[in-house]
Amino acid sequence: MKKILELDPSIELDPDYLAWKMKLLKLKKENEAMRSYFERIIDIAPGHLYWKNKEGVYLGCNLFMVHFYHFDSKMAVIGKTDEELWPHCAQALRENDRKVMETGETIIFEENVQGSTNRSVKMPLRDEEESIIGVIGNSVDISDLKKIQRELIEAREIAEAARMIS
C-alpha cells in the first residue's frame, strides 16, 4: 500500500522546516497549558458549573458539582440528562433550560435538586456563529439561607402573635 503523503527525508534537515516544527510544538504545549489552566479554574469555581446541549445532555461540569452530589467523576455526569441524574425534579430543570434557550437571555431561577435549594444562573450556550446550542449554568446551594429565612419568618409570626395577646 502506497503512503498518501510521503515527505522527502531531506526536509527533516531543512532549517525552515525545523523552525516551523519547533514553533508548532511550542504552540501545542502553550495550548495544552491554557486548556489545563481553564479547566482548573472551572473545577474550583464556586457552585455547580455545568453545560448542556439543546437536548439537555450534560457536556461538562466542574469538580465542585461532582463532589457536592457525590458522583465518582465528571464522566458520571457527562452524557447524562437530568432525567437520568435526578428524575424527581428533571421536568422543572428542563423547563428552565427551555426558557433560557427560547428567550436567549440569562435568567436566575430557584431550583431544588437532591434536597438542596439552589440559586441557578442560566444563560444560552452559543457556538462560533452565536447560534444557541444549549445552556450553561452555575447553581449555588442556598439551603442554609432558605432555612434562616424560614426561621426569621416564624420568629416574626410568633412575636406578632405575642404582641396581639398582650
Side-chain angles (χ1 to χ4, degrees), residues 41 43-44 50 54-55 73 77 93 115 117 136 141 165-166:
I41 290 172
D43 281 342
I44 64 170
Y50 49 89
K54 279 186 170 182
E55 291 74 38
S73 68
V77 177
L93 298 174
T117 303
I136 183 167
D141 181 13
I165 293 173
S166 317

Side-chain angles (χ1 to χ4, degrees), residues 130-166:
E130 293 299 314
S131 298
I132 296 174
I133 59 169
V135 172
I136 183 167
N138 188 5
S139 300
V140 176
D141 181 13
I142 59 168
S143 300
D144 290 342
L145 294 174
K146 296 301 284 183
K147 180 182 176 206
I148 291 168
Q149 184 181 43
R150 283 190 304 274
E151 290 170 354
L152 286 172
I153 289 170
E154 289 172 12
R156 183 180 70 205
E157 289 172 354
I158 291 169
E160 287 175 0
R163 190 178 54 168
M164 295 288 235
I165 293 173
S166 317

Side-chain angles (χ1 to χ4, degrees), residues 82-139:
D82 292 321
E83 288 82 10
E84 295 171 285
L85 297 174
W86 16 77
H88 68 283
C89 62
Q91 185 176 356
L93 298 174
R94 190 74 184 122
E95 183 57 34
N96 290 345
D97 293 350
R98 276 193 209 90
K99 287 177 189 173
V100 169
M101 289 185 286
E102 287 171 5
T103 64
E105 301 289 328
T106 297
I107 304 176
I108 299 172
F109 301 97
E110 193 170 289
E111 298 177 317
N112 295 300
V113 178
Q114 296 281 84
S116 67
T117 303
N118 297 308
R119 181 180 186 268
S120 299
V121 180
K122 295 185 175 185
M123 62 194 72
L125 179 61
R126 298 178 184 270
D127 64 12
E128 297 82 22
E129 288 83 35
E130 293 299 314
S131 298
I132 296 174
I133 59 169
V135 172
I136 183 167
N138 188 5
S139 300

Side-chain angles (χ1 to χ4, degrees), residues 28-43:
K28 186 177 178 181
K29 187 175 180 181
E30 289 172 358
N31 185 41
E32 178 59 30
M34 189 62 69
R35 189 198 62 73
S36 178
Y37 177 71
F38 284 127
E39 190 170 320
R40 284 193 315 273
I41 290 172
I42 289 168
D43 281 342

